[in-house]
Amino acid sequence: MVFNNFLNAEELRRIFAIYPKWKKGGTIKNPHVRVVDTYDITHKFDWLDKKVASLVKERNKGFRYNITSIEETKLLRYKPGGKYDWHQD
């Protein structure tokens, strides 16, 4: 799912301000699903974890899953030809 305008310009600035300090989490290359560089930013931005959790809880209404925490938050960087196709977790 894509949520346009989920983060505002200031929130994006805060995340990208630490970009040079990120440690690359690995490149996932499964041409059937995704080709992307991943950066684990879990618990680096408490406000972001809370914002994502709030969205998940809101979207979960009606499904009744008992979601109590977020396992990980990753930033994905796509290069030309990169993709993240439909898949089942």
Side-chain angles (χ1 to χ4, degrees):
M1 258 185 218
V2 174
F3 296 97
N4 292 321
N5 303 312
F6 176 68
L7 299 174
N8 64 40
E10 175 58 23
E11 291 167 333
L12 290 171
R13 186 197 63 73
R14 290 169 64 188
I15 293 170
F16 286 110
I18 69 157
Y19 178 76
K21 300 175 186 172
W22 290 348
K23 292 184 179 178
K24 188 173 179 181
T27 299
I28 298 172
K29 290 185 179 180
N30 177 344
H32 301 292
V33 178
R34 59 180 151 169
V35 178
V36 63
D37 290 339
T38 64
Y39 298 87
D40 185 352
I41 59 172
T42 305
H43 308 305
K44 300 220 184 312
F45 304 98
D46 188 50
W47 59 268
L48 179 59
D49 292 339
K50 289 177 183 175
K51 189 169 184 169
V52 170
S54 177
L55 176 68
V56 170
K57 286 178 185 179
E58 175 64 31
R59 294 293 174 161
N60 183 48
K61 288 181 181 175
F63 290 106
R64 299 187 183 123
Y65 291 107
N66 184 19
I67 299 171
T68 59
S69 65
I70 295 173
E71 182 176 325
E72 61 187 26
T73 304
K74 289 190 177 184
L75 184 66
L76 306 178
R77 181 179 69 173
Y78 296 89
K79 296 177 183 174
K83 63 182 179 179
Y84 193 4
D85 287 340
W86 184 94
H87 65 282
Q88 183 177 0
D89 284 339

